[in-house]
Amino acid sequence: MLYSGKITHNEKTINTLYKTQYLSYDKPRIILRLIIGFVFIILAVMFALPIWARGILIALGAWLIVSVDFPAQVRADKVVQARKNSFPEMHYEFHDDEFTISGEGSMNIAYTKLTRLIQDERYFYLFIAKNSVCMIEKSSIENEGFAEFITEKTKLQWRREKSLLAMNLQDVIQIFKG
């Protein structure tokens, strides 16, 4: 074993996990929601509509704009309710040719199965698919060089998810390419 890590899930980590997954895989959907929200507001301002119709359009538009991660929150809430505050503690062991996950069962995964690497201030996210991810607390990894090790094994680069307001044109183009 070269590295080991873990995460003790709770309601906050579940919410963070689903938000990161949504921001990573559904940016076109997020952009579409923002565009639709702006269109509703523009329609309410530009056209002579009854006041009640304007109010509805502005309210819907504003809600679509400010609730960017609403679908992720809904999914996370469903998981939290289904688990009834019984959250797993996951353990990860990283070997030379594969890594092992244990907690709610055990399995070995080859590094070539990973499709996306994301990190934020507190966690590493190793995505196997859109709905299959390993979340690891950075503070639980004792040895230095973990991120470089995973990059070498997967040939993938680590990404940090940006808010839409922090994106430039190149980031938006990359969304639609990815």
Side-chain angles (χ1 to χ4, degrees), residues 19-175:
K19 183 176 180 179
T20 300
Q21 179 266 334
Y22 183 70
L23 291 174
S24 177
Y25 281 91
D26 290 327
K27 282 231 170 75
R29 183 177 174 186
I30 293 168
I31 292 170
L32 181 63
R33 284 175 60 96
L34 288 173
I35 290 170
I36 291 170
F38 281 119
V39 167
F40 282 174
I41 291 171
I42 290 169
L43 288 173
V45 172
M46 299 289 286
F47 293 102
L49 298 170
I51 197 77
W52 62 267
R54 285 183 182 194
I56 290 172
L57 285 174
I58 289 173
L60 284 172
W63 182 78
L64 286 170
I65 291 170
V66 300
S67 65
V68 173
D69 63 349
F70 180 72
Q73 291 174 358
V74 169
R75 288 185 66 210
D77 287 346
K78 285 181 183 178
V79 169
V80 168
Q81 288 176 0
R83 289 199 160 268
K84 298 177 183 157
N85 290 326
S86 174
F87 300 108
E89 181 173 305
M90 304 301 292
H91 297 270
Y92 303 92
E93 292 181 356
F94 296 89
H95 305 278
D96 197 36
D97 56 343
E98 65 184 8
F99 66 101
T100 304
I101 303 170
S102 58
E104 291 184 326
S106 180
M107 66 188 304
N108 297 333
I109 299 174
Y111 294 110
T112 57
K113 298 280 186 193
L114 296 176
T115 60
R116 193 170 288 192
L117 304 175
I118 296 177
Q119 63 176 311
D120 60 23
E121 298 80 33
R122 298 187 62 202
Y123 305 105
F124 288 115
Y125 305 88
L126 309 176
F127 281 90
I128 299 163
K130 178 180 178 179
N131 293 316
S132 181
V133 61
C134 301
M135 182 179 184
I136 307 164
E137 291 178 82
K138 284 184 173 181
S139 62
S140 72
I141 298 173
E142 295 177 9
N143 298 340
E144 294 291 321
F146 173 76
E148 294 81 11
F149 171 77
I150 296 296
T151 297
E152 178 186 321
K153 292 296 181 182
T154 62
K155 309 293 187 244
L156 299 171
Q157 294 299 314
W158 288 95
R159 298 183 350 194
R160 288 187 180 268
E161 289 304 321
K162 297 179 181 179
S163 76
L164 291 174
L165 297 176
M167 289 186 171
N168 59 30
L169 182 59
Q170 184 180 10
D171 295 328
V172 174
I173 291 169
Q174 187 63 34
I175 288 170

